[in-house]
Amino acid sequence: MASKFGLAGGIPERRVRPIWDAVDSRQYKAALKLCTALLAKHPTSPYVLALKGLILERMGKPDEALSVCLNAKELLYSDNIFHFDDLTLSTLQIVFQRLERLDLATSCYEYACTKYPNNLELMMGLFNCYVREYSYVKQQQTAIKMYKTVGEERFLLWAVCSIQLQVHFSSGGEKLLPLAEALLKKHITSHSLHEPEALAFYISILEQQSKYDAALEVLSGDLGSLMGREEDKLRLQGRLLAQACNYAAASEIYQKILESCPDDWESFLHYLGCLLEHDVNLPKSRTSEHPSSLPVNSALALKTSLSEELVESRLASALTFVQKLQVNDTSDCVRGPHLANIEIERQRRRSGNPTDRKFIEALINYFHRFGHLSCAASDVEIYLHMLSSDETAELLDTVSRSFDASSLSVKALGLAITTFKVQELLGTFFSKSTTEIQHIAKGMVEAFYKNLPLSRDLDPQESMHGEELLCMASSILVQLFWRTRNLGYLIEAILVLEFGLTVRKYVTLEVKNILLESASHHILPQMLNSPLLQQTADLVIEFVQFKERLQHSMQYLSVRSDSVILSLKQKAESLEEVESILENVNHGARLVELSNEDNMKRFTFNEDLQARPWWTPTTSVNFLSEPFDEGSTPACFRAKACEHKSTEKDDPKIKDAERKALLPRLVYLSMHGCASSLRETQLNGSGLDTDATEMKPLLVKYARSIGYSIDDALSVILGMSSGKKSVKDFAPDIVSWMSFAVFINAWNLWSNESVIPRADESSPSSWQIVDSLVKICIEEQLIDANRILTSPGNNIPVLVQMITEPISWHLVVIQSCVRSMAPQGKKKKKGGPSERPNVPRLQAIQRSVQCMIDTVRGVQSWLSDQMRPEEQALDILLSYLQGGSEDGPGQISCILEENSARHNPEHGERIAQSLETWSSAGVVRRIVGAEKELLVELRKICDSKLNLLASVSASLSSALH
């Protein structure tokens, strides 16, 4: 059964190796040629067929790949197969997994394990299949079977892990914990345990059953020696003691940990929690390098039941202990004991005198000791918000006076940056006048340039000293733009960042792994709403390929839908290509399945919103589009931003992901059924009725994702199309509303149910409703649209969406209807029923086509008005930087120009050469070029739509005449 030495799936390895080498080097055509030649010699080899399927899938031919692999699967199931090995199965599994047919891979391994029930290699492959399918029960059963077959500890741990997954992800799963405990006990009796992971599993099982004393007994026995590091063992003991409410013993354990690891911030929080006797539900121990990685109140949220006197006594004891730790460690790296001092004083302030000065003194001492470190401000951020306005002023004054601003040193620069960061964190810039914060921004830029000599000897891959100053200066300039609406400030914000990138020529970063997941929100939503469809497709494809880690990610579902929608937008002018795209994704059915309510509850939200700039705390919110509120306090602004971040994952993202997942299926159903309505005679409408039945619940879900019931949503589109409801009231979701109207029209055409009842012949038809809504919405955008170069936040993204989504879906429906006019199959027999075009419907379609033509031409006309000669556009933008006022924009750009032109030998050759290439005009010219590219690409999209519409119009005219 097993593969022989030197054979690959029964084929000599020397025959197979060149094929794999070609695949690994992405030479797929060469690999296919070699594989085809090998298949000619071994036509019934499942392995060679599987290898061919893998090559075809890599070449972007999923249908052919699936067909070939299904042939290989059938051969594996035949009785005369000689070689049935894991290499063949694993190759098939790779292809089936990439084709999203995990069920086929699993069935292959299940058959193999049935045929060879005691083969460990095949059972491991089957276990991995169940892991990929999240079949926790079958994982457990397979792991126990492997354990019984060979008795290895690792398979027992796989079984226990599978049980824990059932406990975590299913209701009632905790009933399995005694089974896991019994399995482990039996193994310990017969074989003991040999791996630290096995001990961790055993203690975890006991802990989940609240058997803390039993877990402590195991840990203190012989098995406890499996813990490699004493500190890890102590952390586990401390957690178990705390959960058993033995706070005194737990606090002693945490003291021991802190004596050997004084920078263990998490252990300090647990230590303090145990002293105050409310550290009951501790999180499992995690390694934390930086104190700021945990919120300071994560273990201290509960109120203590101790008396004030006892609390004060224990806090005093804790203070004595951490002061001892401070004395024993004099390095500038260990910050934990000093932060602990602040936390203790915070607890004292909460339970005692709120005006006590020890809290502010502890903060000031911390800045004196660690203020030059880049992490200093973030370390104490949560404490800063507890200060009164007077204390804030005192802190800033004390810190700013603690260093010599004129000196050129890394430490002085670090302190200066920390001072600015503290002001930024507290929002004090918002309370200063325009003149004051402009002066601060200038100071930041000047400080960066002045300290450039500190970076002359740095490695090119290292960050430059003080580059945070440019980010903060840019942030202030954005705020100045928000306040004044003077475009010059926004241009200067870009210039400042470009200046920094010129000085520090970073290589292009390869964004891999979870960064692609957590940081994509900075660029992907904007790209999806741009006319740069090919560049966006490249980015989306890269995201979709990174899917192993994202199987339960909200971002993965959204981008998976985005990839299909983007392909449909790119190929909307070709009905055949649209059908091919939909066929490759099972006509959108899989996406609908993924978006069901149960799956949506399990999705994780992995976007790192903390990295977003203050003016756009989430992808759907931008404060710059709102008027600047002079009376808003920093605390109110901070609370508003936090509120948006906290609700982003609970509602907007879920609704948006659900709506995207429905769209491909709705496009398919719309084009599949509506065409039949043009024929007065139909052979059998049963299939259409089935599709109509499916479409209604999808439209109900679609309407719900916008926040309305289906009836209320119908009322909205009727109101907007008739002018009775203002389009502006529905602006955030207007593109979704337009698409909804398109799908309603399609459903109305072929449904037996009266979707949009008409009171009389003068009432608008569903075609007219779509036409009117599209026209009104786009005209509204064009009326509100200002000059692109002079109006940031222009209407281009919304216009792009309107043209590439709802108009595209409407045109796909129209193309389907027009195609149905062509003769189908053989001619009818003489005397049989004739297929006559439905003239009223054709006329409605022709009017709709003409409406689309007029509307898209209106967009083209607007685009033509936006086009300017490059030099003229450049002059317009540069004029914003040439104001004569000392308070207006232009001062910082002058500083950048003067400094880049001045040759300073102290900067070193590398920095000096970088500065020589920089100019404000060069940056602004790139902005102009980027804007022009957007206009050109959108113009191309409009041209393509008009060409298609002209062709459709000609076909309709021919049919009507």
Side-chain angles (χ1 to χ4, degrees), residues 136-144 159 162-163 166 176 179:
Y136 305 130
V137 175
K138 291 182 178 179
Q139 282 178 219
Q140 173 198 332
Q141 294 167 345
T142 307
I144 288 177
S162 300
I163 289 173
Q166 292 174 68
L176 293 169
L179 170 62

Side-chain angles (χ1 to χ4, degrees), residues 745-955:
N745 173 53
W747 182 32
N748 191 59
L749 293 177
W750 52 287
S751 172
N752 293 327
E753 184 178 347
S754 180
V755 181
I756 304 179
R758 301 179 66 185
D760 50 53
E761 287 300 318
S762 64
S763 299
S765 67
S766 58
W767 286 100
Q768 290 170 318
I769 289 170
V770 174
D771 297 344
S772 178
L773 186 60
V774 168
K775 182 180 178 182
I776 289 172
C777 290
I778 288 187
E779 285 182 350
E780 184 104 9
Q781 291 297 318
L782 297 180
I783 290 170
D784 290 343
N786 295 311
R787 289 279 178 188
I788 291 179
L789 289 174
T790 58
S791 300
N794 61 68
N795 299 46
I796 284 277
V798 180
L799 282 171
V800 170
Q801 277 191 284
M802 288 178 172
I803 294 169
T804 59
E805 293 184 31
I807 288 182
S808 289
W809 315 148
H810 196 46
L811 287 179
V812 165
V813 170
I814 290 173
Q815 288 180 82
S816 298
C817 293
V818 172
R819 186 175 64 178
S820 72
M821 295 186 304
Q824 302 294 317
K826 295 181 179 180
K827 292 182 178 180
K828 295 286 182 183
K829 290 182 180 180
K830 189 175 182 179
S834 62
E835 291 190 349
R836 297 184 302 276
N838 186 326
V839 174
R841 287 277 172 84
L842 286 179
Q843 290 172 336
I845 295 174
Q846 189 175 49
R847 287 191 294 269
S848 188
V849 168
Q850 188 57 49
C851 178
M852 297 298 119
I853 289 173
D854 295 340
T855 302
V856 176
R857 280 177 179 168
V859 176
Q860 274 193 324
S861 177
W862 179 81
L863 288 170
S864 297
D865 291 341
Q866 301 298 312
M867 296 289 191
R868 295 174 180 271
E870 183 177 309
E871 294 304 318
Q872 183 183 355
L874 182 64
D875 290 341
I876 290 172
L877 289 187
L878 289 176
S879 67
Y880 285 94
L881 303 175
Q882 296 170 359
S885 171
E886 293 185 1
D887 294 336
Q891 299 177 59
I892 290 179
S893 59
C894 285
I895 293 171
L896 298 177
E897 288 285 358
E898 292 169 1
N899 290 337
S900 62
R902 185 187 309 138
H903 183 77
N904 188 340
E906 293 182 358
H907 291 160
E909 191 62 27
R910 179 173 60 87
I911 294 176
Q913 287 181 352
S914 299
L915 288 173
E916 288 176 2
T917 65
W918 191 89
S919 73
S920 298
V923 175
V924 175
R925 191 179 293 277
R926 291 202 296 275
I927 295 173
V928 169
E931 292 284 9
K932 183 177 180 181
E933 184 180 3
L934 285 178
L935 295 174
V936 168
E937 290 299 320
L938 182 52
R939 182 63 183 259
K940 289 179 182 177
I941 292 171
C942 290
D943 289 344
S944 178
K945 300 295 181 195
L946 287 172
N947 288 337
L948 173 62
L949 285 164
S951 173
V952 170
S953 181
S955 299

Side-chain angles (χ1 to χ4, degrees), residues 530-702:
S530 80
L532 306 175
L533 299 184
Q534 186 54 52
Q535 294 91 323
T536 309
D538 296 339
L539 182 64
V540 171
I541 288 169
E542 183 181 357
F543 203 127
V544 173
Q545 287 174 342
F546 174 54
K547 64 183 183 181
E548 291 295 337
R549 181 73 178 270
L550 309 175
Q551 290 294 327
H552 283 84
S553 155
M554 185 69 69
Q555 287 86 330
Y556 177 47
L557 173 61
S558 293
V559 178
R560 195 171 175 183
S561 305
D562 284 328
S563 67
V564 180
I565 295 169
L566 187 59
S567 297
L568 293 173
K569 288 158 68 170
Q570 286 180 292
K571 305 299 183 182
E573 279 70 50
S574 170
L575 204 56
E576 290 73 20
E577 292 196 67
V578 167
E579 288 176 326
S580 176
I581 291 166
L582 290 170
E583 187 177 349
N584 287 337
V585 293
N586 195 23
H587 304 117
R590 175 59 177 157
L591 289 172
V592 173
E593 181 186 339
L594 285 173
S595 68
N596 67 45
E597 190 173 350
D598 290 338
N599 283 335
M600 296 299 279
K601 289 178 181 177
R602 288 164 42 195
F603 283 131
T604 59
F605 181 84
N606 301 328
E607 289 182 358
D608 178 17
L609 295 181
Q610 299 306 314
R612 294 192 65 83
W614 59 265
W615 59 87
T616 171
T618 71
T619 53
S620 58
V621 175
N622 194 323
F623 295 143
L624 301 183
S625 63
E626 306 169 6
F628 178 74
D629 184 3
E630 294 283 357
S632 178
T633 65
C636 292
F637 178 81
R638 190 165 55 247
K640 185 178 178 182
C642 290
E643 182 183 357
H644 283 298
K645 288 181 181 180
S646 64
T647 59
E648 174 80 346
K649 62 182 177 182
D650 298 327
D651 188 47
K653 283 292 180 185
I654 290 177
K655 298 298 183 187
D656 185 54
E658 182 181 37
R659 188 161 59 249
K660 287 179 179 178
L662 297 174
L663 202 144
R665 185 64 178 173
L666 285 170
V667 171
Y668 168 74
L669 292 173
S670 296
M671 60 188 291
H672 178 63
C674 67
S676 62
S677 65
L678 284 174
R679 300 292 176 184
E680 292 181 352
T681 59
Q682 296 177 22
L683 296 176
N684 188 340
S686 59
L688 301 179
D689 291 340
T690 302
D691 288 337
T693 303
E694 180 187 357
M695 197 164 185
K696 182 175 181 179
L698 295 184
L699 286 170
V700 169
K701 287 180 68 176
Y702 191 97

Side-chain angles (χ1 to χ4, degrees), residues 484-553:
T484 65
R485 294 296 169 183
N486 189 321
L487 184 62
Y489 288 121
L490 202 56
I491 297 173
E492 281 196 309
I494 297 171
L495 292 176
V496 166
L497 296 176
E498 286 281 355
F499 182 81
L501 289 172
T502 300
V503 174
R504 173 67 174 88
K505 292 187 180 296
Y506 287 93
V507 294
T508 302
L509 294 176
E510 284 194 18
V511 181
K512 297 295 184 184
N513 301 326
I514 203 64
L515 277 177
L516 195 61
E517 165 87 339
S518 60
S520 65
H521 57 99
H522 288 290
I523 185 171
L524 187 56
Q526 292 78 14
M527 290 290 288
L528 289 169
N529 296 338
S530 80
L532 306 175
L533 299 184
Q534 186 54 52
Q535 294 91 323
T536 309
D538 296 339
L539 182 64
V540 171
I541 288 169
E542 183 181 357
F543 203 127
V544 173
Q545 287 174 342
F546 174 54
K547 64 183 183 181
E548 291 295 337
R549 181 73 178 270
L550 309 175
Q551 290 294 327
H552 283 84
S553 155

Side-chain angles (χ1 to χ4, degrees), residues 341-359:
N341 196 358
I342 301 173
E343 174 58 29
I344 291 169
E345 295 302 342
R346 182 182 83 100
Q347 290 290 328
R348 277 180 158 174
R349 173 171 281 201
R350 288 178 60 191
S351 59
N353 183 4
T355 60
D356 186 86
R357 285 195 49 79
K358 290 182 179 178
F359 177 62

Side-chain angles (χ1 to χ4, degrees), residues 3-27:
S3 298
K4 296 179 181 179
F5 180 77
L7 295 180
I11 308 295
E13 186 176 357
R14 60 187 175 82
R15 302 282 188 188
V16 177
R17 176 51 52 195
I19 301 175
W20 277 110
D21 289 342
V23 171
D24 291 341
S25 60
R26 297 176 178 269
Q27 298 176 18

Side-chain angles (χ1 to χ4, degrees), residues 699-700 703-704 706-716 737 740:
L699 286 170
V700 169
R704 190 175 63 216
I706 317 176
Y708 288 78
S709 67
I710 184 72
D711 292 335
D712 290 342
L714 286 170
S715 176
V716 168
W737 281 109
F740 178 71

